[in-house]
Amino acid sequence: MMTRLNGSAPRGALAALVLLSLSLWLAGPAQAQADCERGQLADIYCDENGDLVADRPADESQWVDPDTLIFAYTPVEDPAIYSDIWAPFIAHLEEVTGRDVRFFAVQSNSAQVEAMRSGRLHIAGFSTGPTPFAVNLAGAVPFALMGSDDGRFGYTLQLYTHVDSGIDAIEDLEGKRVAHTSPTSNSGNQAPRALFPELGIVPGEDYEVVYSGSHDQSMLGVVAQDYDAAPVASEVVERMAARDLYDPDDVKLLYESDSFPTTSYTYAHNLHPDLVDKIEEAFFSFDFAGTELGEEFEGVEKFIPINYQDQWKVIRTIQKANGVEYTPENL
C-alpha cells in the first residue's frame, strides 16, 4: 500500500524514509531480466526496440493497472503549494482515467526515482537532469513536456550574482563560492560543468562548488549573499519572481545558455497499455487556461508529445561529457 507523503510530514521522518529506500535499492531488490538488449538501462529492464527506454513487459501478467494512481512533481521548496497548483490537473486526470489520483510530494530526486522503480509511483514529472536516471534506473517513459501552442518548449541555464557582489563577468568567479543545486541537476550542475570551461572558468577548480539542494535555495542564497553566484533554471527563477520570493533588482544576470528541455512527464514502463492511452489522453487534452497550473507556468499552454531519444539527446551529451554514470549512488 502506498503511503502518501505531503508537505506537513516531519522532515526527519522523510529523510529517514529516503535513506531506507536507497539502502533497500542498493541491496538489489529487483530480479534481473533474462538476457536482452538494454543499453544503459538497469538489468531489470529490456530495450529490444532501441528507443533508449524500458520496454513494457512481454508477460501481460506483469502489467500494472491500479485503481489509484500516484502522481509526483519534481522536488520543490514547498510541496504543499504545488499540491494545490496541480489540483485542477489531478481532477482532469481522474475524470479521463476513471481512477483516483493522489499527489505524492517528493523531497528529493533520489526518493522520486526510487518510488517509481519500486512501483509506488505511476506518473511523474522529473527534472531535466534527473530524467536519464529515472529512465535508466526506474523504467520511466517520458512522453510529454509543457509547451506553447506552436510546439515551443524549453528553459535556459542562467547564472546570477548579487547586484552588490562586485562580480561583473563569469571570469570574476575565480576563488568564489558558487551554489550548484544537486549533482544530477542539468542547469544547476551538469550543464555548468560542461559549458563553463569553454567560457574560461572550471567549476570545482576555479571556484568552490557548494550544493544548495534546489534552484530555489540557490537563488535565495544569492539574494541573501550566502553564495557569490549560482547557476539556476530560468523557469524556476521566473516562477519565484512571480510569487515575490525575491526582488529581481537584488540580482544581476552574468550568463545565459541556449534552451534545454523542461521537466519530462513520464509513466512507469509496466502500466497497462489501455491505462497509458488514457493517461496520455488526459495530458494532451488538458486546458491550462484559467487554472492555477496555467498561472504558475506562465507562457505554457498545453502538454506536447515528445520522446526521450530525441529531446534528451543534448542532456545525455552534457552528462556524458561530465562522465556521468546512471547509478543510484550518483543520484
Side-chain angles (χ1 to χ4, degrees):
M1 178 178 175
M2 174 70 189
T3 300
R4 186 179 181 188
L5 302 180
N6 55 50
S8 62
R11 289 188 179 271
L14 290 169
L17 178 60
V18 171
L19 291 175
L20 175 60
S21 296
L22 188 57
S23 66
L24 291 173
W25 188 353
L26 294 173
Q31 185 174 1
Q33 293 277 0
D35 288 341
C36 63
E37 294 296 327
R38 58 173 54 92
Q40 291 184 292
L41 299 177
D43 62 7
I44 58 176
Y45 308 114
C46 291
D47 178 23
E48 294 290 0
N49 63 4
D51 64 357
L52 307 185
V53 300
D55 298 336
R56 182 175 291 113
D59 183 353
E60 294 186 15
S61 67
Q62 297 180 24
W63 294 355
V64 175
D65 195 12
D67 293 329
T68 299
L69 297 174
I70 309 301
F71 171 83
Y73 182 58
T74 183
V76 292
E77 183 70 11
D78 191 344
I81 291 177
Y82 276 82
S83 178
D84 294 336
I85 288 171
W86 279 97
F89 175 78
I90 296 296
H92 179 70
L93 185 59
E94 288 182 326
E95 180 179 357
V96 175
T97 63
R99 314 297 170 93
D100 291 331
V101 180
R102 297 181 184 176
F103 184 86
F104 177 24
V106 294
Q107 303 296 314
S108 69
N109 294 319
S110 59
Q112 187 181 24
V113 171
E114 158 59 8
M116 181 166 281
R117 187 210 63 84
S118 64
R120 296 181 292 114
L121 179 60
H122 308 117
I123 310 168
F126 288 99
S127 295
T128 304
T131 289
F133 286 85
V135 167
N136 287 286
L137 298 178
V141 180
F143 69 95
L145 290 175
M146 289 181 179
S148 61
D149 281 336
D150 61 6
R152 290 182 294 109
F153 62 85
Y155 73 100
T156 62
L157 179 170
Q158 294 181 330
L159 177 65
Y160 283 95
T161 188
H162 194 275
V163 68
D164 296 326
S165 68
I167 298 171
D168 298 314
I170 193 168
E171 295 89 347
D172 297 335
L173 294 180
E174 186 169 359
K176 303 299 184 181
R177 190 167 180 264
V178 178
H180 287 206
T181 58
S182 65
T184 60
S185 174
N186 179 60
S187 56
N189 185 58
Q190 294 293 330
R193 289 184 183 275
L195 300 177
F196 284 4
E198 297 179 358
L199 302 174
I201 200 82
V202 180
E205 294 182 15
D206 295 328
Y207 67 70
E208 178 187 0
V209 172
V210 181
Y211 289 116
S212 68
S214 73
H215 295 273
D216 307 58
Q217 292 177 23
S218 287
M219 198 64 182
L220 294 176
V222 169
V223 171
Q225 296 184 276
D226 294 329
Y227 309 123
D228 294 305
V232 290
S234 61
E235 57 178 358
V236 177
V237 173
E238 290 164 3
R239 293 199 297 271
M240 291 178 68
R243 295 202 304 269
D244 295 323
L245 295 181
Y246 78 98
D247 185 347
D249 290 337
D250 288 339
V251 298
K252 61 182 175 182
L253 182 66
L254 296 175
Y255 167 80
E256 185 169 21
S257 73
D258 293 333
S259 293
F260 303 117
T262 57
T263 297
S264 66
Y265 292 91
T266 73
Y267 57 79
H269 81 293
N270 58 347
L271 294 187
H272 193 287
D274 292 342
L275 176 57
V276 169
D277 288 343
K278 288 294 185 181
I279 291 170
E280 292 184 345
E281 178 185 343
F283 272 81
F284 298 136
S285 64
F286 181 71
D287 185 0
F288 279 77
T291 69
E292 292 92 332
L293 202 60
E295 293 175 1
E296 177 69 8
F297 295 92
E298 186 177 355
V300 168
E301 294 157 315
K302 64 180 182 180
F303 289 103
I304 60 177
I306 56 94
N307 68 76
Y308 172 74
Q309 189 169 24
D310 294 337
Q311 273 70 45
W312 254 257
K313 182 177 180 180
V314 63
I315 306 304
R316 296 194 304 272
T317 299
I318 288 172
Q319 294 181 340
K320 183 178 180 180
N322 286 318
V324 171
E325 296 182 358
Y326 302 123
T327 65
E329 298 89 343
N330 288 336
L331 259 172

